[in-house]
mmCIF file of all heavy atoms in Angstrom:
data_model
loop_
_atom_site.group_PDB
_atom_site.id
_atom_site.type_symbol
_atom_site.label_atom_id
_atom_site.label_comp_id
_atom_site.label_asym_id
_atom_site.label_seq_id
_atom_site.Cartn_x
_atom_site.Cartn_y
_atom_site.Cartn_z
ATOM 1 N N ARG A 1574 0.516 31.411 25.823
ATOM 2 C CA ARG A 1574 -0.345 32.380 25.113
ATOM 3 C C ARG A 1574 0.492 33.284 24.223
ATOM 4 O O ARG A 1574 0.095 33.626 23.116
ATOM 5 C CB ARG A 1574 -1.129 33.220 26.121
ATOM 6 C CG ARG A 1574 -2.251 32.419 26.741
ATOM 7 C CD ARG A 1574 -3.093 33.281 27.650
ATOM 8 N NE ARG A 1574 -4.289 32.562 28.074
ATOM 9 C CZ ARG A 1574 -4.868 32.715 29.253
ATOM 10 N NH1 ARG A 1574 -4.365 33.563 30.136
ATOM 11 N NH2 ARG A 1574 -5.949 32.050 29.549
ATOM 12 N N GLU A 1575 1.662 33.670 24.743
ATOM 13 C CA GLU A 1575 2.523 34.553 23.968
ATOM 14 C C GLU A 1575 3.039 33.813 22.724
ATOM 15 O O GLU A 1575 3.089 34.376 21.631
ATOM 16 C CB GLU A 1575 3.689 35.025 24.861
ATOM 17 C CG GLU A 1575 4.706 35.922 24.186
ATOM 18 C CD GLU A 1575 4.121 37.234 23.638
ATOM 19 O OE1 GLU A 1575 2.928 37.517 23.809
ATOM 20 O OE2 GLU A 1575 4.911 37.967 23.001
ATOM 21 N N ARG A 1576 3.395 32.538 22.887
ATOM 22 C CA ARG A 1576 3.861 31.775 21.721
ATOM 23 C C ARG A 1576 2.741 31.610 20.701
ATOM 24 O O ARG A 1576 2.970 31.738 19.501
ATOM 25 C CB ARG A 1576 4.413 30.419 22.159
ATOM 26 C CG ARG A 1576 5.759 30.590 22.851
ATOM 27 C CD ARG A 1576 6.568 29.333 22.839
ATOM 28 N NE ARG A 1576 5.965 28.323 23.673
ATOM 29 C CZ ARG A 1576 5.928 27.036 23.357
ATOM 30 N NH1 ARG A 1576 6.420 26.610 22.219
ATOM 31 N NH2 ARG A 1576 5.390 26.181 24.188
ATOM 32 N N ASP A 1577 1.528 31.343 21.169
ATOM 33 C CA ASP A 1577 0.394 31.218 20.232
ATOM 34 C C ASP A 1577 0.213 32.520 19.454
ATOM 35 O O ASP A 1577 -0.050 32.497 18.257
ATOM 36 C CB ASP A 1577 -0.914 30.941 20.988
ATOM 37 C CG ASP A 1577 -1.000 29.523 21.501
ATOM 38 O OD1 ASP A 1577 -0.180 28.678 21.094
ATOM 39 O OD2 ASP A 1577 -1.902 29.255 22.317
ATOM 40 N N ARG A 1578 0.345 33.639 20.189
ATOM 41 C CA ARG A 1578 0.148 34.937 19.536
ATOM 42 C C ARG A 1578 1.201 35.150 18.450
ATOM 43 O O ARG A 1578 0.872 35.465 17.313
ATOM 44 C CB ARG A 1578 0.232 36.064 20.586
ATOM 45 C CG ARG A 1578 -0.204 37.421 20.079
ATOM 46 C CD ARG A 1578 0.114 38.535 21.076
ATOM 47 N NE ARG A 1578 1.535 38.701 21.309
ATOM 48 C CZ ARG A 1578 2.388 39.265 20.465
ATOM 49 N NH1 ARG A 1578 1.947 39.744 19.322
ATOM 50 N NH2 ARG A 1578 3.672 39.368 20.759
ATOM 51 N N ILE A 1579 2.468 34.917 18.789
ATOM 52 C CA ILE A 1579 3.538 35.128 17.808
ATOM 53 C C ILE A 1579 3.384 34.132 16.652
ATOM 54 O O ILE A 1579 3.489 34.500 15.482
ATOM 55 C CB ILE A 1579 4.941 35.004 18.455
ATOM 56 C CG1 ILE A 1579 5.099 36.028 19.593
ATOM 57 C CG2 ILE A 1579 6.040 35.183 17.416
ATOM 58 C CD1 ILE A 1579 6.410 35.908 20.376
ATOM 59 N N ASP A 1580 3.122 32.860 16.983
ATOM 60 C CA ASP A 1580 3.019 31.831 15.939
ATOM 61 C C ASP A 1580 1.876 32.121 14.962
ATOM 62 O O ASP A 1580 1.965 31.811 13.776
ATOM 63 C CB ASP A 1580 2.793 30.436 16.556
ATOM 64 C CG ASP A 1580 3.962 29.953 17.416
ATOM 65 O OD1 ASP A 1580 5.073 30.514 17.286
ATOM 66 O OD2 ASP A 1580 3.753 29.018 18.213
ATOM 67 N N SER A 1581 0.782 32.710 15.476
ATOM 68 C CA SER A 1581 -0.396 32.922 14.625
ATOM 69 C C SER A 1581 -0.346 34.226 13.842
ATOM 70 O O SER A 1581 -1.095 34.399 12.886
ATOM 71 C CB SER A 1581 -1.670 32.954 15.477
ATOM 72 O OG SER A 1581 -1.729 31.850 16.301
ATOM 73 N N THR A 1582 0.511 35.167 14.284
ATOM 74 C CA THR A 1582 0.492 36.483 13.631
ATOM 75 C C THR A 1582 1.747 36.764 12.816
ATOM 76 O O THR A 1582 1.846 37.819 12.205
ATOM 77 C CB THR A 1582 0.333 37.605 14.683
ATOM 78 O OG1 THR A 1582 1.382 37.470 15.643
ATOM 79 C CG2 THR A 1582 -0.998 37.544 15.390
ATOM 80 N N ARG A 1583 2.725 35.848 12.811
ATOM 81 C CA ARG A 1583 3.962 36.134 12.056
ATOM 82 C C ARG A 1583 3.662 36.193 10.558
ATOM 83 O O ARG A 1583 2.670 35.596 10.077
ATOM 84 C CB ARG A 1583 5.030 35.087 12.369
ATOM 85 C CG ARG A 1583 4.673 33.723 11.843
ATOM 86 C CD ARG A 1583 5.767 32.695 12.115
ATOM 87 N NE ARG A 1583 5.293 31.390 11.716
ATOM 88 C CZ ARG A 1583 5.369 30.288 12.446
ATOM 89 N NH1 ARG A 1583 5.948 30.306 13.636
ATOM 90 N NH2 ARG A 1583 4.903 29.157 11.982
ATOM 91 N N ALA A 1584 4.563 36.884 9.825
ATOM 92 C CA ALA A 1584 4.319 37.100 8.393
ATOM 93 C C ALA A 1584 4.498 35.820 7.583
ATOM 94 O O ALA A 1584 3.749 35.560 6.638
ATOM 95 C CB ALA A 1584 5.272 38.176 7.883
ATOM 96 N N VAL A 1585 5.503 35.010 7.941
ATOM 97 C CA VAL A 1585 5.799 33.823 7.125
ATOM 98 C C VAL A 1585 5.191 32.578 7.770
ATOM 99 O O VAL A 1585 5.432 32.294 8.942
ATOM 100 C CB VAL A 1585 7.337 33.620 6.991
ATOM 101 C CG1 VAL A 1585 7.651 32.478 6.034
ATOM 102 C CG2 VAL A 1585 8.016 34.890 6.557
ATOM 103 N N ALA A 1586 4.427 31.839 6.997
ATOM 104 C CA ALA A 1586 3.846 30.554 7.419
ATOM 105 C C ALA A 1586 3.251 30.597 8.835
ATOM 106 O O ALA A 1586 3.650 29.830 9.704
ATOM 107 C CB ALA A 1586 4.899 29.443 7.308
ATOM 108 N N PRO A 1587 2.291 31.496 9.079
ATOM 109 C CA PRO A 1587 1.689 31.538 10.422
ATOM 110 C C PRO A 1587 0.876 30.274 10.699
ATOM 111 O O PRO A 1587 0.467 29.576 9.771
ATOM 112 C CB PRO A 1587 0.759 32.754 10.347
ATOM 113 C CG PRO A 1587 0.435 32.893 8.911
ATOM 114 C CD PRO A 1587 1.648 32.431 8.148
ATOM 115 N N LEU A 1588 0.661 30.026 11.995
ATOM 116 C CA LEU A 1588 -0.186 28.902 12.389
ATOM 117 C C LEU A 1588 -1.608 29.188 11.946
ATOM 118 O O LEU A 1588 -2.209 30.189 12.342
ATOM 119 C CB LEU A 1588 -0.160 28.757 13.921
ATOM 120 C CG LEU A 1588 -1.227 27.838 14.527
ATOM 121 C CD1 LEU A 1588 -1.028 26.396 14.103
ATOM 122 C CD2 LEU A 1588 -1.207 27.931 16.045
ATOM 123 N N ARG A 1589 -2.130 28.332 11.098
ATOM 124 C CA ARG A 1589 -3.550 28.433 10.747
ATOM 125 C C ARG A 1589 -4.025 27.071 10.268
ATOM 126 O O ARG A 1589 -3.213 26.231 9.865
ATOM 127 C CB ARG A 1589 -3.808 29.529 9.704
ATOM 128 C CG ARG A 1589 -3.205 29.255 8.370
ATOM 129 C CD ARG A 1589 -3.530 30.351 7.359
ATOM 130 N NE ARG A 1589 -2.772 30.105 6.134
ATOM 131 C CZ ARG A 1589 -3.148 29.256 5.200
ATOM 132 N NH1 ARG A 1589 -4.260 28.564 5.315
ATOM 133 N NH2 ARG A 1589 -2.398 29.060 4.124
ATOM 134 N N GLN A 1590 -5.302 26.908 10.328
ATOM 135 C CA GLN A 1590 -5.866 25.621 9.940
ATOM 136 C C GLN A 1590 -5.933 25.523 8.420
ATOM 137 O O GLN A 1590 -6.448 26.428 7.767
ATOM 138 C CB GLN A 1590 -7.275 25.566 10.542
ATOM 139 C CG GLN A 1590 -7.984 24.265 10.366
ATOM 140 C CD GLN A 1590 -9.430 24.419 10.797
ATOM 141 O OE1 GLN A 1590 -9.723 25.086 11.805
ATOM 142 N NE2 GLN A 1590 -10.326 23.842 10.029
ATOM 143 N N ALA A 1591 -5.412 24.442 7.857
ATOM 144 C CA ALA A 1591 -5.541 24.245 6.409
ATOM 145 C C ALA A 1591 -7.015 23.990 6.106
ATOM 146 O O ALA A 1591 -7.726 23.393 6.913
ATOM 147 C CB ALA A 1591 -4.701 23.045 5.972
ATOM 148 N N GLU A 1592 -7.459 24.458 4.941
ATOM 149 C CA GLU A 1592 -8.885 24.311 4.600
ATOM 150 C C GLU A 1592 -9.328 22.856 4.587
ATOM 151 O O GLU A 1592 -10.455 22.535 4.925
ATOM 152 C CB GLU A 1592 -9.134 24.910 3.215
ATOM 153 C CG GLU A 1592 -9.504 26.366 3.296
ATOM 154 C CD GLU A 1592 -9.587 27.005 1.935
ATOM 155 O OE1 GLU A 1592 -9.861 26.292 0.946
ATOM 156 O OE2 GLU A 1592 -9.366 28.232 1.877
ATOM 157 N N ASP A 1593 -8.410 21.987 4.188
ATOM 158 C CA ASP A 1593 -8.780 20.568 4.069
ATOM 159 C C ASP A 1593 -8.339 19.751 5.289
ATOM 160 O O ASP A 1593 -8.219 18.528 5.206
ATOM 161 C CB ASP A 1593 -8.191 19.972 2.781
ATOM 162 C CG ASP A 1593 -6.702 20.268 2.618
ATOM 163 O OD1 ASP A 1593 -6.161 21.087 3.397
ATOM 164 O OD2 ASP A 1593 -6.081 19.678 1.726
ATOM 165 N N ALA A 1594 -8.103 20.416 6.432
ATOM 166 C CA ALA A 1594 -7.691 19.670 7.634
ATOM 167 C C ALA A 1594 -8.900 19.141 8.406
ATOM 168 O O ALA A 1594 -9.963 19.768 8.429
ATOM 169 C CB ALA A 1594 -6.870 20.575 8.544
ATOM 170 N N LEU A 1595 -8.707 18.007 9.032
ATOM 171 C CA LEU A 1595 -9.703 17.478 9.968
ATOM 172 C C LEU A 1595 -9.431 18.157 11.305
ATOM 173 O O LEU A 1595 -8.260 18.253 11.706
ATOM 174 C CB LEU A 1595 -9.507 15.966 10.145
ATOM 175 C CG LEU A 1595 -9.520 15.116 8.879
ATOM 176 C CD1 LEU A 1595 -8.828 13.773 9.112
ATOM 177 C CD2 LEU A 1595 -10.973 14.895 8.467
ATOM 178 N N VAL A 1596 -10.453 18.640 12.003
ATOM 179 C CA VAL A 1596 -10.223 19.363 13.255
ATOM 180 C C VAL A 1596 -10.484 18.456 14.453
ATOM 181 O O VAL A 1596 -11.490 17.745 14.487
ATOM 182 C CB VAL A 1596 -11.122 20.616 13.331
ATOM 183 C CG1 VAL A 1596 -10.894 21.359 14.640
ATOM 184 C CG2 VAL A 1596 -10.838 21.529 12.158
ATOM 185 N N LEU A 1597 -9.550 18.488 15.396
ATOM 186 C CA LEU A 1597 -9.702 17.689 16.614
ATOM 187 C C LEU A 1597 -9.491 18.579 17.838
ATOM 188 O O LEU A 1597 -8.392 19.103 18.052
ATOM 189 C CB LEU A 1597 -8.676 16.547 16.615
ATOM 190 C CG LEU A 1597 -8.618 15.713 17.890
ATOM 191 C CD1 LEU A 1597 -9.925 14.967 18.119
ATOM 192 C CD2 LEU A 1597 -7.469 14.712 17.842
ATOM 193 N N ASP A 1598 -10.550 18.783 18.639
ATOM 194 C CA ASP A 1598 -10.404 19.461 19.929
ATOM 195 C C ASP A 1598 -10.288 18.352 20.970
ATOM 196 O O ASP A 1598 -11.247 17.617 21.201
ATOM 197 C CB ASP A 1598 -11.638 20.343 20.206
ATOM 198 C CG ASP A 1598 -11.506 21.095 21.537
ATOM 199 O OD1 ASP A 1598 -10.726 20.635 22.408
ATOM 200 O OD2 ASP A 1598 -12.177 22.117 21.703
ATOM 201 N N ASN A 1599 -9.086 18.236 21.555
ATOM 202 C CA ASN A 1599 -8.887 17.101 22.471
ATOM 203 C C ASN A 1599 -8.956 17.510 23.947
ATOM 204 O O ASN A 1599 -8.481 16.772 24.801
ATOM 205 C CB ASN A 1599 -7.567 16.383 22.150
ATOM 206 C CG ASN A 1599 -6.349 17.230 22.476
ATOM 207 O OD1 ASN A 1599 -6.466 18.297 23.040
ATOM 208 N ND2 ASN A 1599 -5.183 16.734 22.120
ATOM 209 N N SER A 1600 -9.573 18.676 24.235
ATOM 210 C CA SER A 1600 -9.667 19.147 25.628
ATOM 211 C C SER A 1600 -10.192 18.056 26.554
ATOM 212 O O SER A 1600 -9.734 17.918 27.676
ATOM 213 C CB SER A 1600 -10.616 20.340 25.744
ATOM 214 O OG SER A 1600 -10.174 21.409 24.978
ATOM 215 N N HIS A 1601 -11.175 17.324 26.081
ATOM 216 C CA HIS A 1601 -11.798 16.336 26.976
ATOM 217 C C HIS A 1601 -11.642 14.901 26.479
ATOM 218 O O HIS A 1601 -12.470 14.044 26.773
ATOM 219 C CB HIS A 1601 -13.267 16.705 27.200
ATOM 220 C CG HIS A 1601 -13.403 18.099 27.733
ATOM 221 N ND1 HIS A 1601 -12.979 18.441 28.997
ATOM 222 C CD2 HIS A 1601 -13.819 19.249 27.142
ATOM 223 C CE1 HIS A 1601 -13.169 19.746 29.176
ATOM 224 N NE2 HIS A 1601 -13.665 20.255 28.065
ATOM 225 N N LEU A 1602 -10.593 14.668 25.720
ATOM 226 C CA LEU A 1602 -10.354 13.297 25.251
ATOM 227 C C LEU A 1602 -9.175 12.693 26.003
ATOM 228 O O LEU A 1602 -8.220 13.400 26.332
ATOM 229 C CB LEU A 1602 -10.001 13.282 23.751
ATOM 230 C CG LEU A 1602 -11.069 13.675 22.741
ATOM 231 C CD1 LEU A 1602 -10.541 13.465 21.330
ATOM 232 C CD2 LEU A 1602 -12.345 12.862 22.936
ATOM 233 N N THR A 1603 -9.226 11.397 26.245
ATOM 234 C CA THR A 1603 -8.052 10.733 26.816
ATOM 235 C C THR A 1603 -7.084 10.449 25.666
ATOM 236 O O THR A 1603 -7.459 10.516 24.484
ATOM 237 C CB THR A 1603 -8.435 9.386 27.463
ATOM 238 O OG1 THR A 1603 -8.946 8.533 26.423
ATOM 239 C CG2 THR A 1603 -9.477 9.556 28.548
ATOM 240 N N ILE A 1604 -5.844 10.135 26.031
ATOM 241 C CA ILE A 1604 -4.845 9.819 25.007
ATOM 242 C C ILE A 1604 -5.319 8.622 24.181
ATOM 243 O O ILE A 1604 -5.187 8.607 22.954
ATOM 244 C CB ILE A 1604 -3.473 9.571 25.678
ATOM 245 C CG1 ILE A 1604 -2.965 10.906 26.201
ATOM 246 C CG2 ILE A 1604 -2.495 8.907 24.721
ATOM 247 C CD1 ILE A 1604 -1.595 10.912 26.805
ATOM 248 N N GLU A 1605 -5.929 7.669 24.854
ATOM 249 C CA GLU A 1605 -6.433 6.466 24.161
ATOM 250 C C GLU A 1605 -7.528 6.837 23.154
ATOM 251 O O GLU A 1605 -7.535 6.349 22.023
ATOM 252 C CB GLU A 1605 -6.979 5.521 25.238
ATOM 253 C CG GLU A 1605 -6.717 4.053 25.060
ATOM 254 C CD GLU A 1605 -5.494 3.676 24.236
ATOM 255 O OE1 GLU A 1605 -4.350 3.919 24.654
ATOM 256 O OE2 GLU A 1605 -5.723 3.142 23.134
#
Side-chain angles (χ1 to χ4, degrees):
R1574 286 185 171 147
E1575 178 60 3
R1576 287 201 292 141
D1577 285 348
R1578 191 189 63 75
I1579 301 175
D1580 296 343
S1581 309
T1582 56
R1583 68 178 174 228
V1585 186
L1588 167 65
R1589 66 178 173 82
Q1590 185 189 320
E1592 269 173 27
D1593 50 350
L1595 305 159
V1596 179
L1597 174 64
D1598 181 338
N1599 68 6
S1600 299
H1601 304 292
L1602 293 185
T1603 63
I1604 290 184
E1605 219 26 67

